[in-house]
Amino acid sequence: MTKEINYHMSPEEFRRRGYQTIDWIANYMQKVEDLPVLSQVKPGEIRANLPDAAPQTGESYDAILNDIDRIIVPGLTHWQSPNFFAFFPAGASAPSILGELMSAGMGVLGFLWATSPACTELETHVLDWLVDMLGLPSHFKSSETGGGVLQDSACSAAVVSLIAAREQAQADINRLVAYTSKEAHCSIERAAKIVGLRPENVRLIEVDEHYAMCPEELQQRIEADIQAGLIPCYLAATVGTTSSNGIDPIAKLGAIAQEYHLWFHVDAAMSGTAALCPEFRWIHQGLEQADSYCFNPHKWMMTNFDCNCFYVKHREKLVQALSIMPDYLKNEATESGQVIDYRDWQIPLARRFKSLKLWFVIRHYGIEGLQHYIRKHVALAQEFAQWVNSDPRFELVVDPPLNLVCFRLKGGDSVNQALLQHLNASGKLYLSPTRLNHKLTLRLSIGQAQTDRNHVKQAWQLICNYADVLIQQPSTKFVEVKLANHFR
């Protein structure tokens, strides 16, 4: 009789390799500050270093780890670097990583309460905690009419909220109209495509000088659509737009949404975390009028991706819009009506035990610890804005309400494009651009877990040094040579 071959890791080897992997991650977190922030590889370089075919026989774990160092790390843009100031923060903290590891080890798929009661009930409880922690309206709690669920991102939150709005309207989908601002994240337009609204029925409303949606124009567009025989059904406001951190006037928009019976969704993807601090809760003024709300702990709350907190005022509207019950999912707990089945709150059926990492983070840092880092990052952004304002070479494009600073080097788009390219190519920091008032603008977003004042100060010094060379620009070639020599 042929002896069965066991290809699995033994418990002893798993334990040893687990320690080795944790050591690798800890070492990476220690040295990430010294690595080039933006990957320096060329297109195709990573694949060129990988074998053409998968291995026929298993390889050693040491060989796999060696290739992580040799191939993978050079191809990373280091989002965990304290010198990463692009896009939005994505600060994975140690307790969050450990919570993710625990979730992976348990291997739970919590789409029904019955498939793991702890997965559902911990999620419900932690999301109720966050209602109090952020000072959100109490109806978002599961003990009242609403409740919260963890989505993967604000993009998915936009999709499910728009599905609920579509079902609430109970009308010809070709006549339904959705509204958001010109500065809103593109996920709103994408959600409309996914849900089936006609692209020409998505209205992008003008913004004011602070890049916040104009309520007056919104109302005019709604009235015009009604006169044209269309059916307004959905309004998405933003607390902290991607480009400028613009904060829409939630109270005024909410009043309009109520007047015209629109589903009112508020997306506070990055900025919502600021409401952990009472002094920043003004960003949510008027939120009690919202039908749904979301923010991303994976952006500014020490929790690694993916982790979006999505709340609804009336959970039955969401469940009715998404629920389908085939025989293979029926069970006694569900039919009792006493439990939450989160499969009815999201697009996919399957779901991971994501609340573990959020629970770990909240318990490790406590409310005070999380508040400390929010206040620190906002203060650093405000200080950076002061440096920009006091330097005649630069201009502050908009006053930063929180932790994102939008600025430009005076002299036009070409000089700012050159500044951005040379800064990012240096490997010493990473900024991302946007366009505000039709002008190329540099964004500096502060919120990484390990970012301190010295990193922000070094970034400003580097920006100033590059600007000095660019301002004297006699020719592009001269600038490139001079920059290369000066910052070698």
Side-chain angles (χ1 to χ4, degrees):
M1 187 174 180
T2 304
K3 184 179 179 181
E4 182 180 351
I5 301 174
N6 183 3
Y7 290 97
H8 296 305
M9 278 189 183
S10 67
E12 292 75 20
E13 184 183 3
F14 175 71
R15 183 174 289 108
R16 181 165 59 87
R17 297 306 189 181
Y19 291 146
Q20 188 177 2
T21 302
I22 290 292
D23 283 343
W24 188 96
I25 295 171
N27 290 334
Y28 172 78
M29 293 170 71
Q30 278 187 310
K31 71 180 183 182
V32 68
E33 178 177 354
D34 300 322
L35 299 173
V37 187
L38 186 64
S39 176
Q40 307 292 297
V41 303
K42 297 176 181 178
E45 189 173 332
I46 303 301
R47 293 195 66 183
N49 282 293
L50 296 170
D52 291 336
Q56 187 64 37
T57 58
E59 300 179 75
S60 72
Y61 195 75
D62 287 331
I64 297 170
L65 273 187
N66 285 338
D67 281 348
I68 290 287
D69 290 324
R70 182 177 66 90
I71 302 173
I72 302 302
V73 171
L76 296 179
T77 289
H78 298 287
W79 285 72
Q80 303 312 311
S81 170
N83 300 306
F84 184 100
F85 300 106
F87 304 111
F88 51 82
S93 63
S96 176
I97 294 168
L98 294 174
E100 189 82 274
L101 176 63
M102 192 78 76
S103 174
M106 292 175 179
V108 164
L109 295 178
F111 49 87
L112 296 170
W113 178 89
T115 59
S116 278
C119 181
T120 294
E121 295 193 17
L122 181 64
E123 183 164 333
T124 303
H125 201 74
V126 169
L127 283 159
D128 279 354
W129 272 2
L130 282 163
V131 171
D132 293 332
M133 290 169 64
L134 275 71
L136 302 179
S138 62
H139 56 237
F140 285 145
K141 279 192 172 183
S142 61
S143 57
E144 298 198 20
T145 59
V149 60
L150 292 177
Q151 305 282 357
D152 54 8
S153 66
C155 300
S156 291
V159 172
V160 295
S161 65
L162 193 46
I163 290 173
R166 183 191 67 191
E167 297 306 300
Q168 177 178 267
Q170 288 292 301
D172 178 4
I173 195 169
N174 292 310
R175 295 170 61 201
L176 296 182
V177 184
Y179 305 84
T180 193
S181 90
K182 286 190 171 180
E183 289 296 316
H185 193 272
C186 61
S187 60
I188 304 299
E189 292 181 82
R190 191 167 181 267
K193 285 187 177 183
I194 293 170
V195 173
L197 271 66
R198 299 176 68 174
E200 62 267 28
N201 286 353
V202 178
R203 306 283 184 255
L204 302 181
I205 307 302
E206 288 291 345
V207 295
D208 62 18
E209 69 275 14
H210 303 293
Y211 301 98
M213 193 191 307
C214 295
E216 298 78 14
E217 188 193 332
L218 170 66
Q219 188 151 17
Q220 290 170 8
R221 296 295 295 274
I222 291 173
E223 287 286 354
D225 286 331
I226 293 172
Q227 290 296 319
L230 299 174
I231 303 171
C233 74
Y234 180 81
L235 170 62
T238 308
V239 173
T241 57
T242 301
S243 286
S244 68
N245 217 184
I247 296 173
D248 289 340
I250 304 302
K252 291 182 179 179
L253 299 178
I256 294 172
Q258 287 192 339
E259 179 181 351
Y260 294 96
H261 308 292
L262 309 181
W263 182 284
F264 185 33
H265 176 62
V266 177
D267 178 355
M270 177 180 72
S271 298
T273 299
L276 288 167
C277 303
E279 66 268 29
F280 299 134
R281 288 181 186 163
W282 59 268
I283 64 176
H284 286 152
Q285 186 177 357
L287 190 59
E288 64 277 359
Q289 299 177 91
D291 295 287
S292 57
Y293 166 82
C294 73
F295 84 104
N296 291 336
H298 67 233
K299 284 186 176 171
W300 197 14
M301 197 176 142
M302 307 293 175
T303 306
N304 57 295
F305 186 86
D306 58 350
C307 187
N308 168 269
C309 296
F310 175 68
Y311 292 92
V312 287
K313 183 187 289 188
H314 299 289
R315 59 180 174 268
E316 75 279 0
K317 293 184 179 181
L318 181 65
V319 171
Q320 288 169 6
L322 293 170
S323 181
I324 295 176
M325 178 56 78
D327 287 338
Y328 52 79
L329 292 179
K330 290 180 179 178
N331 63 90
E332 185 178 345
T334 295
E335 292 178 359
S336 74
Q338 296 179 346
V339 303
I340 289 175
D341 288 331
Y342 277 130
R343 68 182 183 86
D344 295 329
W345 297 51
Q346 61 176 25
I347 300 301
L349 175 66
R351 57 199 332 273
R352 296 182 292 114
F353 199 168
K354 287 189 285 192
S355 59
L356 267 181
K357 60 186 176 187
L358 193 54
W359 190 47
F360 275 37
V361 166
I362 294 171
R363 293 188 66 180
H364 174 83
Y365 288 101
I367 295 172
E368 288 184 358
L370 294 169
Q371 289 173 336
H372 167 78
Y373 288 104
I374 296 302
R375 288 174 175 137
K376 173 182 175 179
H377 295 151
V378 172
L380 289 173
Q382 300 302 317
E383 186 174 16
F384 185 91
Q386 291 173 7
W387 297 337
V388 172
N389 249 341
S390 62
D391 192 315
R393 297 169 296 178
F394 293 90
E395 59 181 326
L396 196 63
V397 177
V398 61
D399 288 332
L402 295 169
N403 62 322
L404 173 65
V405 184
C406 297
F407 67 103
R408 287 169 48 83
L409 178 62
K410 293 177 182 177
D413 284 359
S414 59
V415 70
N416 280 280
Q417 185 65 50
L419 177 60
L420 180 69
Q421 288 175 346
H422 288 297
L423 286 169
N424 290 345
S426 74
K428 297 180 184 297
L429 55 72
Y430 185 24
L431 303 180
S432 55
T434 190
R435 192 163 287 276
L436 295 172
N437 196 23
H438 308 293
K439 296 179 179 179
L440 184 70
T441 300
L442 278 59
R443 299 168 67 261
L444 185 129
S445 179
I446 299 175
Q448 292 301 94
Q450 302 300 325
T451 297
D452 286 321
R453 187 179 185 274
N454 64 298
H455 302 110
V456 179
K457 184 68 175 177
Q458 289 168 9
W460 174 241
Q461 190 60 57
L462 191 68
I463 291 166
C464 290
N465 290 345
Y466 275 74
D468 282 340
V469 176
L470 287 166
I471 287 170
Q472 305 166 15
Q473 178 178 354
S475 72
T476 302
K477 184 176 181 180
F478 171 79
V479 169
E480 290 177 353
V481 172
K482 190 169 183 181
L483 284 170
N485 292 334
H486 190 66
F487 300 107
R488 182 172 293 167

